[in-house]
Amino acid sequence: RMAKRTGAGLIEAERYFRQAIELDPNFALAYCGLADTLALRVDYTDAPRAATLERAHAAVDAALKLDPGLADAWASAGLIEQQNGHLGRAEEMFRRAIDLNPNHAMARKWYGGLLQGQARFAESVAQLEQAARLDPLSANVQLNLGTALEAQGRFRDAASQYRKAIEVDPLMPGPYTFLAGLAAYAEDDFVTAVPLAEKAVALDPDNPSGPMLLAIMYGDLRDDASYDRVLRPAEERWPDNAIVNVLLGARDLQGGDRSGAERHARRVLEANPRAYGALWILGVMDYRQGRYAESAARYRKAYPELFSSAPRIDASNFGAAIEIVPALQKLGKTDEALALLAASEKVMATLPLLPLYSVGG
């Protein structure tokens, strides 16, 4: 159930792992499975991040108490640390899992994903290729190898991997999602992309990322009716989802509904003050009304590192740096704006071309 990476499958897997623990409280691997399932639910369902990862951490701690030398437990611990944003600790734990068991495909797969996120693409592909050799019948490993190849601009190789994943498991939604993104944004083939995205949504209706990709595609196609058709039920089902609210805010902004746009943006910022999609919505509204100082102040509060004498820009904040440039120019701070653009360009040169949509564990 967990291998399909669907919302319903992960919920069912969690139930089975809990049943296994009830039957044998000393079964360390069951605690690992429970930890993995909980950590993955953060990516594939609307499970609350902090509380879900706290439960995952408790499960992996139980596994390590039962067997400190269990590679599976260290791999699970690495996944949880990665989800919590502790990337250095995550890498240490993945490497420890691999040292304990060099043939642990999932540890290599998760480690490869971590390396990809750090733009260490050659290392990422090497780990994922090894994982694919160790477990050639894992659709999820094939999928992740595809995303790593795509990040290097090897689009044909990536598409081949996604198709391999579909051959292994035709009911797994992820490969359809990434094939859709590749078709739309690498080949400008929305005729192929949209049905693939629709297929992914049909296979996993409990994952909010599927409808969001579909909505983005319809937005790029200027198909407002289909955009609303996808977003309307998403708003009802996931009213607090950040991406849902950003897309709704963008819709309201385009339609001239300033109060609606502001409402959706502020809902996102209440949960994450650094969410620059929401900051962008408010920034556009400020810019249109000539409130350049207010816009700059909002970004300064959210991203103080961008306003120091030596701005610190990386993959997490370059988007915000670019967004604030027009307001800085209007305020006459041209040198500051140019410095942000130059630093952002250097960061962007190190980032993957694609995929546009992240893959979970």
Side-chain angles (χ1 to χ4, degrees):
R1 299 299 182 180
M2 184 169 59
K4 289 188 180 297
R5 301 300 197 262
T6 65
L10 289 170
I11 291 170
E12 191 172 3
E14 179 183 348
R15 184 171 69 251
Y16 286 136
F17 284 125
R18 291 191 184 279
Q19 288 175 357
I21 291 168
E22 289 177 6
L23 291 170
D24 184 357
N26 294 317
F27 188 16
L29 283 174
Y31 288 99
C32 294
L34 176 60
D36 294 346
T37 302
L38 290 167
L40 291 170
R41 284 193 61 192
V42 171
D43 283 329
Y44 293 95
T45 73
D46 60 346
R49 172 175 287 274
T52 304
L53 290 178
E54 186 176 346
R55 293 197 297 272
H57 202 286
V60 82
D61 280 350
L64 285 169
K65 286 179 182 177
L66 289 167
D67 188 349
L70 183 62
D72 298 75
W74 288 106
S76 301
L79 176 62
I80 295 165
E81 293 296 343
Q82 183 178 359
Q83 293 281 45
N84 276 316
H86 305 147
L87 304 186
R89 285 159 59 182
E91 180 166 1
E92 291 177 10
M93 292 175 180
F94 288 141
R95 293 181 67 87
R96 184 162 186 177
I98 293 168
D99 287 342
L100 288 166
N101 180 5
N103 294 325
H104 199 296
M106 196 55 61
R108 290 188 181 277
K109 181 260 198 195
W110 284 332
Y111 184 30
L114 176 72
L115 294 168
Q116 181 181 335
Q118 296 177 330
R120 295 158 64 182
F121 301 127
E123 295 175 78
S124 173
V125 169
Q127 289 293 334
L128 288 161
E129 286 179 337
Q130 179 70 353
R133 284 192 290 270
L134 290 168
D135 192 357
L137 296 181
S138 169
N140 197 255
V141 169
Q142 299 294 343
L143 169 62
N144 278 254
L145 177 54
T147 67
L149 294 169
E150 191 174 329
Q152 289 188 319
R154 296 168 59 183
F155 300 147
R156 290 185 179 178
D157 292 337
S160 176
Q161 287 301 133
Y162 299 149
R163 294 189 184 98
K164 284 182 182 178
I166 291 172
E167 289 175 6
V168 173
D169 187 353
L171 299 181
M172 183 180 181
Y176 297 99
T177 298
F178 280 88
L179 269 177
L182 195 60
Y185 298 106
E187 301 171 356
D188 195 27
D189 182 4
F190 283 84
V191 172
T192 298
V194 169
L196 288 168
E198 294 271 14
K199 174 80 170 178
V201 172
L203 288 171
D204 188 12
D206 297 317
N207 186 347
S209 65
M212 295 309 95
L213 168 58
L214 194 56
I216 290 169
M217 287 183 176
Y218 283 131
D220 290 336
L221 289 169
R222 303 294 189 267
D223 185 345
D224 294 340
S226 296
Y227 187 83
D228 283 337
R229 172 178 61 81
V230 174
L231 279 183
R232 201 171 296 115
E235 181 180 17
E236 294 176 2
R237 184 163 187 182
W238 302 293
D240 297 321
N241 181 277
I243 300 176
V244 170
N245 277 280
V246 167
L247 292 177
L248 289 166
R251 177 204 62 188
D252 291 342
L253 184 66
Q254 183 178 1
D257 181 0
R258 290 189 298 178
S259 63
E262 182 173 358
R263 182 178 69 255
H264 289 298
R266 293 198 181 281
R267 178 177 289 178
V268 175
L269 293 174
E270 285 175 5
N272 178 12
R274 289 170 63 91
Y276 59 77
L279 287 169
W280 170 80
I281 291 172
L282 297 180
V284 169
M285 294 172 64
D286 286 335
Y287 191 87
R288 290 176 177 176
Q289 298 176 60
R291 300 191 310 228
Y292 311 123
E294 290 88 340
S295 180
R298 187 180 297 109
Y299 277 92
R300 184 185 296 274
K301 182 178 180 180
Y303 290 92
E305 72 275 14
L306 299 179
F307 294 87
S308 65
S309 56
R312 300 189 308 278
I313 299 180
D314 56 28
S316 72
N317 65 9
F318 77 93
I322 293 170
E323 287 172 7
I324 194 56
V325 163
L328 292 175
Q329 289 178 313
K330 287 291 187 180
L331 291 169
K333 299 182 179 182
T334 304
D335 290 343
E336 191 173 343
L338 290 175
L340 289 176
L341 285 176
S344 298
E345 184 178 12
K346 290 181 180 179
V347 172
M348 291 171 67
T350 70
L351 297 177
L353 299 173
L354 286 173
L356 296 179
Y357 308 97
S358 63
V359 65

